[in-house]
Amino acid sequence: MTQYVYRFGGGVSDGKGLSKELLGGKGANLDGMASIGLPVPPGFTISTPMCTRYYEEGEKFPPELNAEVASGIAHIEGVTGKKFGDASDPLLVSVRSGARVSMPGMMDTVLNLGLNDATVVGLATVSGDARFAWDSYRRFVQMYADVVLGLDHGAFEEALEIAKEDKGYYLDTEMESEDWQALVAKYLALVEELWGKPFPQDVHDQLWGAVGAVFGSWQSERAKVYRRINSIPHDWGTAVNVQAMVFGNMGDTSATGVAFTRDPATGERAYYGEYLINAQGEDVVAGIRTPQYLTTAARERAKAKPLSMQESMPVVYAELAKVFDLLEAHYRDMQDIEFTVERGKLWMLQTRSGKRTAKAALKIAVDMAAEGLITKDEAVMRVDPSALDQLLHPTLDPKAKRDVIVKGLPASPGAASGIAVFDSDTAEKRADKGQSVILVRTETSPEDIHGMHAAKGILTARGGMTSHAAVVARGMGRPCVSGAGSLSIDAAAKVARVGSREIREGDMLTLDGSTGEVMAGEVATIQPELSGDFGTLMVWADGSRRMKVRANAETPADAKVARDFGAEGIGLCRTEHMFFDAGRITAVREMILAEDEKGRRVALAKLLPEQRADFVGLFEVMAGLPVTIRLLDPPLHEFMPHAEADFEDVAKATGLTVDMLKRRAAELHEFNPMLGHRGCRLGVTYPEIYEMQARAIFEAACDLAVSPIPEVMVPLVATKRELELMKAVIDRTAEAVFAERGKRIDYLVGTMIELPRAALKAGEIAEVGAFFSFGTNDLTQTTLGVSRDDAARFLGVYVDQGIYERDPFVSLDIDGVGELVQIAADRGRATRPDIKLGICGEHGGDPASIAFCEKVGLDYVSASPYRVPIARLAAAQAALATG
Ligand code: ADP
Ligand code: MG
Ligand code: MG
């Protein structure tokens, strides 16, 4: 029979060595901590396969789970010496969700489960603190009503406010035991009114209700959204952890806190964290009270007064510091920890690999390799390539003027400018329209995930450095300023006020997540620094990399950025981008609208020197490296004149009338230009266009002292014959130029593989072409029969429904398009074993697609200049993973 329940704590660790896949992240690590002898409150984990079973059985528990859960409870009872539901000395537990990876979309934890009208009296007696007991009970009813029963929490909060008002209190802490008791009565009545049934008094009913709610939350909307954004499969399921309660709210020798073993913002090797005396865990996370610093150094640096934990609880702090070191050594990574001190005794409640900024990830990986904790290869594997994005983009210019409106905590570094919005739906809507937005909230909750994802930056009025906003923003790589306390936000009225100043929806703001400053307007930025830890890690990565990394670039400026980022050539130079230049577009239009070859040649002669100059500039930057130049590809309609003035310009240049030109333009109209007269079809029908381009390439190469190696690429080839014809034009032109210049240079002629027919007939095509470059943008469009520009309307639903796991234009559809790539690579290599293979689509900068390219054995990937370092790291990881 399958085992579903795994006990931990009190010297037991049933799940020792078992995976996060089975136990969930939280469960596996609770067990891990217990197994190395750390003080973990006893508990048990119901494994993830039970979540799957629960859904298979129509959201019911299989009967055999009863006995297993009973033995789990018996374990906790044995270790604590308390009984679940015992009216004299009750055992209380927390019910916690825990998927394989931490998921903010999941059910919130229920604390103090096991309290009812009878056990609360027992708790009051054994704790000697009736106020604490009744406060615990009201917290439990409120949480249970909210998370498990799904009742409106506003009603409960209102009842609390009224209770305080009646007494003339300002703070929860002023509430006396009788006040809490009276509030509990109100809460129980509220539950009955809103839910239609009395609050469950049977502790087992409470437990099963909570466990069911955890499983139920796996399919909640916000969990689904989170999974979609983070590419987490829907069939993983979550585990449930049931654990004995420990109390950080039993007076001044009790506390609760969260900590990181290293600074998650900078990566600095220093304990880092926050704690609150006399509080329960959720108080820290929710940012209800402003927490105090863990270490004295951090407190002094922040010039804060309230004592650090190091000062106020030196003995427990020393014990905690030892635990930090043990955990780092055990997990060999920076840990994010939750702990509670109950009347002077330390309890560990959670540990996991800590989320960190890209900067911290780099520093921690490089430092840990230097400390000998991990190898260099492991260091390379540790840094998420996509996260480098944060470092490769500009930061605020320190010299730029800053009109600081308010200052909060530097919760997640980086700079962002955008317009203020006050709710997540608006953030998403505006971002979809292409606007940059800053999400401004009093505090964030898991319901804000989509808005945070859509925003360029996040600003909150409440919450510390470990608040929801801060943790999620760091994970997403969004700059965040949290706890800007002097900001008062009226989300309904869409306005925030600080002193006499106002921020309204649509106002431009700039956040500096590294200083906590919030500024009015847009502030100038500067380019990033690419040395230090970044440089070190990239050197290690390059040492493990097999594939080359090139850039997609056509201007010398972009090529320069690409070189600085370590590009080893150009994988795609799109010549048409050069045609849009204001100075040339008229000549281009003249060529397109020409009636015959003669007319086209007149226009092309005007373009030749311009195009040659383009290549000279590009080739100078790329001297000695391969440069792949794609001959003219796009549908001609993209260059067509539209405005009257455009036609007049062309008329002036050609001596034709505007009417004649308009008639010609109408003749050239196409119904589906993407599948029309474009790509090599232009070269086949008007060879003089490719001839001019080839001439510009070879003349430029011959004119330079050190030339790159031109790889002339013919687009949209479907058949061998097309490539044969075009190669003849290119070779003939090359010979002519070499004869004129009295000099030869090396070059290659090859093709893009971007049509399914080309992939299938790659064996034949390789007889002519010396290289293939997979144009996976068009190959995806033509294989899926989906136009990228029109996909937005349905692709979201497709991803939600699991039809495609991710947007196939962002991450290669490995099953379908990938198979064509594999076929083309195999057949091409069978014909021509030394054929050069690369990828130049958008996918060339996507880590998952890069891993696939490694498997196929491509020679290089090509990405946009800013993604070159990402591609270098991803290629290294792919090589290491393939071994
Ligand atoms: P999350 O995954 O959202 O962090 P957790 O399950 O870790 O949720 O719990 C939320 C808060 O409740 C945390 O601060 C945690 O430390 C606290 N908590 C959970 N279980 C217990 C327990 N058994 N005793 C005391 N505090 C607990
Ligand atoms: Mg937690
Ligand atoms: Mg294409």
Side-chain angles (χ1 to χ4, degrees):
M1 216 179 72
T2 325
Q3 180 181 353
Y4 289 110
V5 166
Y6 297 84
R7 304 164 304 159
F8 57 80
V12 174
S13 77
D14 287 344
K16 190 168 179 189
L18 295 178
S19 63
K20 288 187 182 165
E21 282 72 38
L22 188 74
L23 300 174
K26 201 175 282 166
N29 287 356
L30 283 168
D31 196 279
M33 288 197 290
S35 76
I36 55 171
L38 298 183
V40 176
F44 61 89
T45 300
I46 308 177
S47 64
T48 58
M50 180 46 72
C51 183
T52 316
R53 274 232 24 212
Y54 177 78
Y55 281 103
E56 278 167 10
E57 314 238 332
E59 308 193 17
K60 286 195 188 66
F61 299 104
E64 69 261 33
L65 189 62
N66 273 319
E68 279 200 73
V69 166
S71 80
I73 290 288
H75 162 66
I76 307 178
E77 290 175 339
V79 177
T80 58
K82 297 170 194 281
K83 290 245 174 290
F84 195 43
D86 178 0
S88 54
D89 187 6
L91 166 68
L92 304 188
V93 296
S94 64
V95 175
R96 321 171 67 184
S97 59
R100 289 189 208 184
V101 291
S102 150
M103 258 181 61
M106 296 296 299
M107 188 197 86
D108 293 328
T109 296
V110 177
L111 300 175
N112 305 334
L113 189 142
L115 280 172
N116 58 25
D117 295 347
T119 56
V120 66
V121 180
L123 181 66
T125 313
V126 276
S127 65
D129 188 345
R131 191 186 168 281
F132 154 78
W134 285 100
D135 179 21
S136 299
Y137 191 18
R138 72 90 196 174
R139 284 178 190 246
F140 169 55
V141 176
Q142 188 170 354
M143 271 194 220
Y144 199 91
D146 177 16
V147 252
V148 180
L149 305 180
L151 306 180
D152 171 26
H153 53 90
F156 293 84
E157 277 152 26
E158 202 181 303
L160 170 59
E161 288 312 313
I162 291 172
K164 282 194 285 191
E165 236 165 69
D166 285 351
K167 290 280 187 168
Y169 298 154
Y170 287 102
L171 301 170
D172 290 10
T173 44
E174 294 172 90
M175 294 279 280
E176 298 292 343
S177 166
E178 308 76 54
D179 303 326
W180 286 131
Q181 188 169 352
L183 188 63
V184 166
K186 287 220 180 77
Y187 275 10
L188 293 175
L190 254 180
V191 169
E192 194 157 352
E193 181 192 322
L194 296 173
W195 192 42
K197 281 186 272 183
F199 185 83
Q201 289 289 326
D202 182 303
V203 296
H204 293 96
D205 289 348
Q206 293 176 356
L207 179 63
W208 287 104
V211 173
V214 173
F215 288 152
S217 71
W218 179 255
Q219 296 295 5
S220 69
E221 269 324 299
R222 57 191 221 206
K224 284 189 202 163
V225 168
Y226 186 82
R227 288 201 288 274
R228 192 180 64 219
I229 294 172
N230 292 281
S231 319
I232 296 170
H234 293 297
D235 60 5
W236 276 6
T238 179
V240 185
N241 305 289
V242 179
Q243 186 175 29
M245 281 302 298
V246 290
F247 298 97
N249 54 340
M250 292 184 98
D252 288 346
T253 54
S254 301
T256 189
V258 295
F260 293 84
T261 54
R262 304 191 185 209
D263 188 322
T266 64
E268 191 197 339
R269 193 176 185 187
Y271 307 135
Y272 176 95
E274 297 169 330
Y275 81 113
L276 270 176
I277 292 178
N278 196 12
Q280 247 184 1
E282 80 275 15
D283 299 342
V284 179
V285 181
I288 289 166
R289 274 159 59 193
T290 301
Q292 296 164 227
Y293 289 93
L294 199 69
T295 65
T296 309
R299 177 182 74 73
E300 284 172 351
R301 200 175 332 154
K303 301 198 176 70
K305 290 213 183 63
L307 290 186
S308 68
M309 182 173 176
Q310 199 172 3
E311 292 160 322
S312 68
M313 301 183 161
V315 178
V316 191
Y317 174 81
E319 193 187 339
L320 187 61
K322 256 191 228 130
V323 170
F324 289 167
D325 295 345
L326 276 173
L327 285 174
E328 264 210 2
H330 182 69
Y331 289 106
R332 302 167 68 243
D333 196 5
M334 187 266 269
Q335 296 295 296
D336 166 359
I337 291 157
E338 292 174 6
F339 63 90
T340 281
V341 180
E342 179 180 316
R343 291 181 170 160
K345 161 116 181 82
L346 175 67
W347 292 101
M348 302 306 300
L349 289 169
Q350 189 170 336
T351 190
R352 60 185 165 197
S353 284
K355 287 217 183 351
R356 62 205 79 180
T357 63
K359 184 173 171 215
L362 272 174
K363 179 160 175 55
I364 291 170
V366 170
D367 282 356
M368 284 189 166
E371 289 158 26
L373 200 58
I374 59 176
T375 65
K376 285 180 184 171
D377 283 353
E378 282 176 298
V380 168
M381 294 302 283
R382 285 280 170 93
V383 178
D384 173 8
S386 319
L388 289 182
D389 218 13
Q390 282 180 51
L391 300 179
L392 304 176
H393 286 283
T395 48
L396 289 183
D397 181 351
K399 292 190 209 96
K401 252 192 81 181
R402 297 178 175 211
D403 172 13
V404 178
I405 307 176
V406 64
K407 201 166 171 215
L409 299 170
S412 177
S417 297
I419 54 170
V421 299
F422 294 91
D423 67 273
S424 287
D425 289 343
T426 309
E428 199 176 38
K429 266 186 226 127
R430 294 242 190 176
D432 280 347
K433 287 196 198 131
Q435 294 177 314
S436 297
V437 303
I438 302 288
L439 180 63
V440 183
R441 305 281 290 156
T442 300
E443 59 204 333
T444 63
S445 76
E447 277 139 23
D448 289 312
I449 295 289
H450 64 297
M452 297 175 78
H453 194 254
K456 291 273 184 275
I458 295 135
L459 167 62
T460 70
R462 279 208 243 158
M465 297 288 287
T466 49
S467 64
H468 178 267
V471 171
V472 174
R474 283 198 294 269
M476 286 183 177
R478 300 287 185 280
C480 174
V481 174
S482 70
S486 49
L487 198 64
S488 94
I489 297 175
D490 184 344
K494 303 189 175 212
V495 59
R497 291 191 180 82
V498 53
S500 61
R501 300 190 70 164
E502 272 186 5
I503 304 169
R504 296 199 164 267
E505 184 171 304
D507 289 353
M508 182 60 78
L509 288 182
T510 298
L511 301 185
D512 186 341
S514 314
T515 63
E517 284 175 330
V518 180
M519 288 139 283
E522 199 171 343
V523 178
T525 52
I526 50 166
Q527 292 306 312
E529 170 69 61
L530 299 176
S531 52
D533 296 320
F534 176 85
T536 307
L537 193 88
M538 289 316 264
V539 169
W540 294 348
D542 288 346
S544 321
R545 179 156 64 82
R546 183 193 62 79
M547 287 190 291
K548 297 272 186 202
V549 175
R550 300 194 193 177
N552 299 348
E554 31 273 333
T555 66
D558 281 355
K560 179 80 176 48
V561 172
R563 284 290 287 140
D564 291 344
F565 279 141
E568 298 160 299
I570 301 272
L572 178 63
C573 164
R574 304 171 171 93
T575 49
E576 65 271 17
H577 285 200
M578 302 165 161
F579 282 18
F580 284 111
D581 192 283
R584 320 183 179 166
I585 188 75
T586 303
V588 173
R589 288 174 174 155
E590 194 182 325
M591 170 193 77
I592 294 170
L593 295 173
E595 298 278 353
D596 53 16
E597 185 185 332
K598 197 164 143 263
R600 272 190 297 278
R601 283 197 182 272
V602 171
L604 286 166
K606 295 183 194 166
L607 288 170
L608 174 65
E610 305 265 2
Q611 181 107 82
R612 185 175 51 223
D614 293 335
F615 292 135
V616 169
L618 189 67
F619 288 1
E620 271 171 344
V621 182
M622 288 290 159
L625 297 171
V627 174
T628 306
I629 303 140
R630 181 176 69 187
L631 300 181
L632 195 64
D633 176 47
L636 293 182
H637 82 110
E638 289 188 12
F639 302 105
M640 257 341 158
H642 298 290
E644 194 67 25
D646 296 342
F647 278 106
E648 280 162 13
D649 284 346
V650 182
K652 224 177 283 156
T654 55
L656 298 173
T657 67
V658 168
D659 279 350
M660 284 163 79
L661 291 171
K662 283 190 175 163
R663 196 170 347 105
R664 177 77 182 134
E667 271 168 35
L668 291 172
H669 170 79
E670 291 181 292
F671 289 100
N672 190 348
M674 286 312 288
L675 299 178
H677 194 189
R678 59 166 290 213
C680 68
R681 298 159 201 171
L682 292 169
V684 170
T685 48
Y686 307 147
E688 54 280 8
I689 299 180
Y690 280 12
E691 189 188 302
M692 181 282 285
Q693 292 196 292
R695 176 165 278 278
I697 294 168
F698 293 119
E699 287 183 356
C702 286
D703 287 352
L704 286 171
V706 188
S707 157
I709 303 142
E711 300 180 351
V712 185
M713 179 156 79
V714 181
L716 216 73
V717 159
T719 70
K720 174 184 166 188
R721 182 74 186 137
E722 287 169 316
L723 186 58
E724 242 168 26
L725 288 170
M726 294 302 96
K727 182 166 186 298
V729 172
I730 297 161
D731 287 342
R732 205 166 52 227
T733 309
E735 288 308 322
V737 173
F738 297 161
E740 287 160 25
R741 294 289 203 271
K743 180 176 177 188
R744 302 192 71 84
I745 51 143
D746 290 332
Y747 71 97
L748 298 175
V749 177
T751 180
M752 291 188 87
I753 300 288
E754 52 187 337
L755 294 175
R757 190 184 196 284
L760 297 171
K761 304 310 286 178
E764 273 175 34
I765 293 173
E767 289 167 18
V768 183
F771 66 86
F772 289 166
S773 176
F774 291 97
T776 47
N777 297 343
D778 269 325
L779 190 58
T780 299
Q781 299 205 86
T782 52
T783 301
L784 272 49
V786 169
S787 145
R788 180 170 61 166
D789 303 323
D790 300 313
R793 245 173 255 164
F794 52 86
L795 214 51
V797 177
Y798 264 56
V799 173
D800 279 348
Q801 297 290 331
I803 298 172
Y804 293 118
E805 213 176 281
R806 294 183 56 189
D807 178 341
F809 292 104
V810 173
S811 199
L812 195 74
D813 160 37
I814 289 170
D815 284 348
V817 178
E819 186 166 356
L820 281 170
V821 171
Q822 183 74 60
I823 288 172
D826 291 346
R827 294 184 184 173
R829 277 190 291 235
T831 303
R832 188 189 286 261
D834 66 343
I835 191 167
K836 239 193 208 187
L837 301 174
I839 182 173
C840 65
E842 217 59 38
H843 306 98
D846 168 62
S849 311
I850 291 171
F852 169 76
C853 294
E854 173 69 29
K855 281 211 194 81
V856 179
L858 299 193
D859 298 297
Y860 69 87
V861 298
S862 189
S864 62
Y866 274 101
R867 296 190 73 82
V868 164
I870 298 173
R872 282 163 70 197
L873 183 56
Q877 294 184 349
L880 287 168
T882 338

